[in-house]
Amino acid sequence: MPQDPNAQFDQSVMEMIEHSPIGAVPHTTSYVESLTRLYAAHQVYPSADHKGGHVTARSLSGQPAFAASNLDALAEGKVEPEALEPNGVVFDRYLAWLPPASRPRAEAVRLKVTGKPIHHRKHHGDGAQAHHDPVHSLFLVPGAGPHHGLPGNYLYGSIFQSGVSLDGSWAIHLHDADDGASFFQAPDLNAAVGKLRELLETAPFHLGELEDFGFKSI
């Protein structure tokens, strides 16, 4: 097969982005055309840390993902929903990983990302039936969408109970820092956790790539 005549130049553009402290490239026609190709191929994303800058997917491949550490235990019935690692703790681990200079911007979106805390209702008496508020568990993965991600170039989302019981249906939402979002509906908790594992193992990615994983844009 004939070699892509643009491949070598596009490769050099990615290297330039990775070596630039702000992810910048020259504003000339050839570089703009290269960026257009790289964005279309989901090899380059808008930078969350430098306005007008870019970040390559391969440079994000070594970054950690963050999710409740005992989500698997919940799916296996080993812990109750109340014991699930709180969203605030998951966010704290993400925050601690960021460079100190990026933490104030991340802290500013904490409530948007984690949601309001759930207060579990108490039931008294021997005949009281156990009740759990719907589970909503935060995760963050490297990537981007139509817009940049959170500081550090992270998408954020949640795996949550969409049915009336833990044995019912579950769903996954995933967002960039603006209005880009994707949604996956799962028949049960095990299917949802399995899909989340798939996401965590696949990252980094662009939201536009998730259709291949059964997600829908919303």
Side-chain angles (χ1 to χ4, degrees):
M1 295 180 63
Q3 187 176 4
D4 181 355
N6 298 310
Q8 186 172 355
F9 185 71
D10 289 352
Q11 176 71 22
S12 68
V13 171
M14 286 197 292
E15 291 173 356
M16 183 178 294
I17 290 170
E18 291 168 353
H19 287 94
S20 167
I22 58 173
V25 298
H27 296 286
T28 63
T29 300
S30 58
Y31 283 97
V32 170
E33 290 176 348
S34 177
L35 284 174
T36 300
R37 292 189 295 269
L38 291 169
Y39 269 87
H42 303 309
Q43 295 185 60
V44 168
Y45 310 143
S47 173
D49 299 320
H50 303 288
K51 186 175 181 179
H54 317 279
V55 62
T56 67
R58 68 187 183 189
S59 70
L60 302 182
S61 61
Q63 294 189 182
F66 302 93
S69 59
N70 57 350
L71 193 57
D72 285 338
L74 177 69
E76 294 166 3
K78 296 178 179 178
V79 299
E80 294 297 318
E82 291 87 349
L84 193 64
E85 186 175 34
N87 290 345
V89 175
V90 175
F91 190 86
D92 285 343
R93 290 196 278 111
Y94 152 70
L95 198 69
W97 179 86
L98 291 173
S102 298
R103 291 173 189 168
R105 289 191 302 115
E107 189 63 57
V109 296
R110 175 188 285 270
L111 185 58
K112 173 184 175 181
V113 173
T114 62
K116 294 181 179 179
I118 292 176
H119 300 286
H120 294 282
R121 293 188 282 272
K122 296 181 179 179
H123 296 257
H124 302 284
D126 294 338
Q129 189 173 17
H131 176 85
H132 300 292
D133 289 296
V135 178
H136 173 276
S137 188
L138 173 69
F139 68 93
L140 301 103
V141 293
H147 314 283
H148 61 74
L150 301 179
N153 298 290
Y154 275 83
L155 298 167
Y156 73 96
S158 60
I159 177 172
F160 61 94
Q161 178 187 341
S162 57
V164 295
S165 72
L166 290 178
D167 296 329
S169 59
W170 286 68
I172 298 174
H173 275 170
L174 195 56
H175 306 264
D176 62 21
D178 201 329
D179 60 0
S182 290
F183 174 83
F184 177 82
Q185 186 71 50
D188 54 42
L189 175 57
N190 280 319
V193 171
K195 182 60 65 173
L196 177 56
R197 284 198 209 99
E198 190 176 8
L199 289 181
L200 300 181
E201 292 168 359
T202 304
F205 48 75
H206 186 281
L207 286 179
E209 298 179 275
L210 294 185
E211 289 185 6
D212 293 339
F213 292 86
F215 282 76
K216 296 180 179 180
S217 297
I218 55 175

